[in-house]
Amino acid sequence: MARYLSGKLGGGLVSLFMVAVLGFFLFRVMPGDPVRTMTHGAPVTAQQIAVLRERFGLDQPLWKQFLDFLGNLLRGDLGTSYTYSRPVGELILERIGPTVLLVGTATVIAVLLGLWMGSRAAWRHGEAFDKTSTSIALTLWSVPTFWLGLIVLMAFGVGVGPIPGLFPVGGISSPDTPPELLPQVLDVAHHLVLPTLTLVAVIYAEYLMVMRSSLLEEMGEDYLTTARAKGLREDLVRRRHAVPNALLPTVTLIFLRLGLVVAGAITVETVFSWPGLGLLTYEALRVPDLPLLQGIFIVLAGSVVVMNVLAELLYRVLDPRVRES
């Protein structure tokens, strides 16, 4: 177990280092000059531009910028944003709460919905429920998130024809909401409905299809035949025996989805003006704000690496066959 744990942790550290390297060089090949973009339309001289480049460290050789970046990263310093003139770490901490609220809520609903529908679709393989549920899930899964978000926004936010809009069209709260706790919570929940609905519609199909495939593989196993021979009802055979074993592959998918907490929210947060990391990423791309983009990328990719390691460790705990290998 110690050798297995050290191997996984070592691999995770190597992956985190590669994330740091990729995070630095990836955004250096992007077109555009941050200083030129920030001063666009302003009456600045060449000397003032040179001063700005020196201030941001863009006048240094690339290898020097990279070494400074790694040194700051080891101290927990993600740099200073060009746009906001504030530490990147502070900006990420301010925006990560709304993103976790949005994607966390959507992930919980999508997991519960996908696992329930996937297990029933597999158990009724070939029937109308199986064909209908998988067709709808795959259709929604293939729809671009931003397009679906715009449709949802027009249908339930702006309103269609005589049907008025039922939900806010953007933001996380209304400025005229009373300061008491309950009205504030209800207002945030009201704003949360449409972006959550959009994310759930896109991502629940992953859990449905994985659960369906895993359960179909389990349905022909001998232990299910034994359970039926003992006189157990089909519902108990499915819930107590087949589903727990079919859940194992889904554990990895759930942890990886938690690691992708920002990637799935960039377009949704932009469409619904949700003040999270996704919207912050979009704003940083417009400059481009290199330190901010690097910081968000490292947080995103690092969370994927961490969640992947946790999933592999948990998989070993849940499945005795992995422990024996």
Side-chain angles (χ1 to χ4, degrees), residues 194-216:
L194 294 187
T196 300
L197 175 63
T198 304
L199 276 179
V200 169
V202 173
I203 66 176
Y204 89 96
E206 295 180 72
Y207 306 108
L208 185 154
M209 298 307 296
V210 172
M211 185 63 190
R212 178 179 178 273
S213 176
S214 300
L215 190 54
L216 284 175

Side-chain angles (χ1 to χ4, degrees), residues 39 41-45 48:
T39 58
V44 294
T45 64
Q48 290 173 319

Side-chain angles (χ1 to χ4, degrees), residues 180-242:
E180 289 78 13
L181 178 60
L182 182 58
Q184 289 285 338
V185 171
L186 293 177
D187 184 49
V188 172
H190 195 209
H191 284 77
L192 188 64
V193 171
L194 294 187
T196 300
L197 175 63
T198 304
L199 276 179
V200 169
V202 173
I203 66 176
Y204 89 96
E206 295 180 72
Y207 306 108
L208 185 154
M209 298 307 296
V210 172
M211 185 63 190
R212 178 179 178 273
S213 176
S214 300
L215 190 54
L216 284 175
E217 292 181 3
E218 295 292 330
M219 285 174 60
E221 296 295 329
D222 293 337
Y223 70 90
L224 295 183
T225 304
T226 303
R228 293 188 183 97
K230 292 180 179 179
L232 294 180
R233 300 193 311 272
E234 280 295 305
D235 184 57
L236 291 178
V237 172
R238 175 171 57 87
R239 287 190 294 107
R240 293 184 181 181
H241 297 277

Side-chain angles (χ1 to χ4, degrees), residues 85-156:
S85 298
R86 293 177 54 196
V88 170
E90 290 184 5
L91 292 171
I92 291 177
L93 286 176
E94 286 181 1
R95 299 292 190 98
I96 201 170
T99 294
V100 171
L101 174 63
L102 170 60
V103 183
T105 303
T107 301
V108 170
I109 297 175
V111 168
L112 296 177
L113 180 63
L115 296 186
W116 178 77
M117 294 188 69
S119 61
R120 292 185 66 86
W123 210 253
R124 300 181 178 182
H125 179 58
E127 297 183 9
F129 181 86
D130 177 29
K131 295 178 181 178
T132 303
S133 61
T134 53
S135 298
I136 294 174
L138 290 175
T139 301
L140 292 174
W141 197 9
S142 63
V143 171
T145 309
F146 75 91
W147 183 83
L148 182 61
L150 290 174
I151 297 298
V152 170
L153 185 64
M154 289 188 293
F156 301 104

